[in-house]
């Protein structure tokens, strides 16, 4: 049973936003929701092919990864080399972590004070994310002072992060090689000191199924590997200008392309808008691994002469996102860095 003091004050946040916005459109959307979308299965890639002794199988597997990355920006993977026991142990520790009282999560310095909830910059309900999370820099997961009473979490997180790092680099290497490039900009700049893990919990939302668990967005990294809830859906992505619901696959991890790979590939690979919708009855957990460079790293196109984007550092990109969100409540992202602007 979920304890009442476990949850962040999302109900109060929503009430305040509804009172502030006085927007009848927001209220109507919350009270008159559309029926749930039909669930859709992401392309499934068996990563066994990458390590096959058969060249045709290796080429075929790489081709599937690149095809999904360029056409949809999302795919799911099986036989990825991360043990089921590790995934289960990480989820067990994650659930235990979120069960502590809200006050403890906000004030005890857990995981480098990385706890957050809702959206502190929201000015109306459609900008509110009905979730809580620990957004943890990998550089801190070996620091025993970050864990407090959660001693067993440290070992599992380190093993999990190391496994995800190797998996992410393997997939990124395939995407780089497909473009005929020797390097993709992440090899020297993406490591345990620059990447992030985000532990998410989406509490049940009794108010409306039309609230966002996580507002529509694209990821500001090279690529993301998501271990989503095995049974509870909620992830949706933009496909053919329409939202589609992703059907959970308990045997697979989800991979999606981030903004940096779209810029590096000159729009060959797609960073696709996605969101999470709430569940009115049950909570949902997920863990995202973000392959990020250092803030000083330059992001350039593999084909610099024909690039449609200006060269920028990751720090400049993040700074521009923060400015846009503060000014308008929305991330603009890559369009800010088009050569033509």
């Amino acid at each position: 049973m979920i304890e009442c003091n476990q949850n962040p004050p999302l109900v109060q946040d929503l009430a305040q936003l509804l009172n502030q916005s006085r927007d009848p459109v927001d209220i109507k959307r919350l009270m008159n929701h559309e029926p749930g979308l039909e669930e859709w299965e992401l392309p499934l890639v068996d990563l066994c092919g990458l390590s096959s002794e058969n060249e045709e199988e290796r080429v075929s597997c790489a081709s599937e990864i690149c095809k999904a990355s360029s056409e949809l920006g999302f795919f799911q993977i099986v036989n990825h080399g991360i043990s089921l026991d590790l995934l289960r142990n990480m989820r067990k520790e994650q659930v235990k972590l979120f069960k502590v009282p809200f006050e403890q999560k906000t004030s005890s310095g857990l995981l480098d004070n990385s706890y957050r909830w809702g959206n502190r910059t929201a000015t109306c309900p459609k900008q509110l994310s009905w979730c809580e999370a620990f957004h943890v820099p990998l550089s801190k997961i070996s620091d025993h002072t970050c864990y407090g009473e959660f001693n067993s979490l440290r070992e599992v997180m380190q093993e999990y992060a190391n496994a995800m790092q190797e998996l992410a680099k393997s997939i990124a290497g395939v995407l780089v090689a497909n473009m005929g490039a020797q390097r993709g900009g992440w090899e020297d700049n993406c490591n345990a000191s620059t990447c992030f893990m985000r532990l998410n919990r989406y509490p049940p939302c009794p108010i409306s199924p039309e609230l966002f668990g996580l507002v529509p967005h694209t990821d500001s990294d090279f690529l993301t590997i998501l271990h989503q809830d095995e049974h509870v859906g909620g992830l949706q992505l933009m496909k053919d200008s329409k939202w589609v619901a992703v059907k959970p696959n308990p045997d697979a991890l989800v991979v999606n392309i981030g903004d940096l790979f779209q810029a590096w590939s000159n729009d060959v690979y797609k960073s696709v808008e996605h969101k999470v919708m709430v569940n009115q009855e049950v909570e949902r957990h997920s863990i995202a691994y973000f392959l990020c460079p250092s803030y000083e790293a330059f992001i350039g196109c593999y084909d610099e002469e024909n690039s449609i984007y200006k060269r920028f550092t990751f720090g400049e990109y993040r700074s521009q996102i923060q400015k846009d969100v503060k000014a308008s409540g929305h991330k603009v992202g890559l369009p800010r860095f088009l050569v033509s602007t």
Side-chain angles (χ1 to χ4, degrees), residues 64-174:
E64 290 178 25
I65 291 173
C66 298
K67 183 174 186 290
S69 299
S70 60
E71 293 183 355
L72 187 64
F74 270 80
F75 56 96
Q76 53 188 344
I77 54 175
V78 292
N79 292 319
H80 39 67
I82 300 180
S83 73
L84 183 59
D85 283 344
L86 177 55
L87 294 174
R88 286 175 174 169
N89 288 339
M90 187 64 228
R91 180 55 46 81
K92 178 182 176 181
E93 294 292 338
Q94 176 187 19
V95 171
K96 185 166 62 174
L97 176 66
F98 278 112
K99 284 188 179 296
V100 303
F102 170 69
E103 291 77 12
Q104 183 177 346
K105 285 180 281 194
T106 59
S107 61
S108 61
L110 281 171
L111 298 178
D112 194 44
N113 284 309
S114 62
Y115 179 75
R116 60 192 64 185
W117 78 94
N119 182 356
R120 300 299 91 196
T121 62
T123 58
C124 60
K126 65 184 178 182
Q127 295 174 5
L128 176 67
S129 291
W130 193 273
C131 72
E132 57 178 336
F134 289 91
H135 194 81
V136 191
L138 262 60
S139 60
K140 295 295 183 179
I141 64 171
S142 62
D143 185 352
H144 66 89
T145 62
C146 291
Y147 292 89
E149 66 191 72
F150 296 94
N151 295 321
S152 58
L153 175 61
R154 179 188 176 195
E155 182 177 343
V156 176
M157 275 196 75
Q158 284 182 290
E159 184 180 358
Y160 186 93
N162 290 338
M164 285 293 177
Q165 180 85 358
E166 292 305 311
L167 178 58
K169 287 188 173 183
S170 175
I171 295 171
V174 170

Side-chain angles (χ1 to χ4, degrees), residues 32-50:
N32 300 291
H33 61 271
E34 295 291 331
L37 301 176
E38 181 179 353
E39 288 188 321
W40 183 75
E41 291 193 22
L42 293 174
L44 182 66
V45 179
D46 186 342
L47 290 191
C48 268
L50 288 183

Side-chain angles (χ1 to χ4, degrees), residues 39-42 74 228 233-237 244-248 254:
E39 288 188 321
W40 183 75
E41 291 193 22
L42 293 174
F74 270 80
Q228 66 169 337
L235 176 63
Q236 297 182 7
L237 60 89
V244 295
V246 174
K247 184 176 182 179
V254 174

